[in-house]
Amino acid sequence: EADVCIVSSDKDLMQLLAEPGVGMYDPLKKQFVDEEVCRNRLGVAPHKVRDYLALVGDSVIFRR
């Protein structure tokens, strides 16, 4: 059970799951996101999402 639930499909916000009491719901996939889902989608734990995104870049930045 979470004190705060983020409703978003934005993978950048998965890093917030590392904080206690924070949950996430992906409305596009109709799925609650937890550490396991984060690891399956990105290959890293929530506390490593920031590092992962810094290394691989964000594809939205490169779209024109």
Side-chain angles (χ1 to χ4, degrees), residues 14-57:
M14 286 186 195
Q15 65 187 298
L16 299 175
L17 294 172
E19 297 298 320
V22 177
M24 186 171 178
Y25 179 75
D26 183 338
L28 295 179
K29 298 187 185 221
K30 296 182 175 139
Q31 176 184 41
F32 283 97
V33 179
D34 58 11
E35 183 171 343
E36 181 181 350
V37 173
C38 180
R39 285 181 184 274
N40 288 338
R41 286 193 197 170
L42 301 180
V44 296
H47 71 278
K48 293 288 187 180
V49 170
R50 180 179 335 153
D51 299 328
Y52 168 80
L53 293 173
L55 290 170
V56 300

Side-chain angles (χ1 to χ4, degrees), residues 5-25:
C5 184
I6 300 164
V7 180
S8 177
S9 297
D10 188 347
K11 67 183 177 294
D12 298 359
L13 296 176
M14 286 186 195
Q15 65 187 298
L16 299 175
L17 294 172
E19 297 298 320
V22 177
M24 186 171 178
Y25 179 75

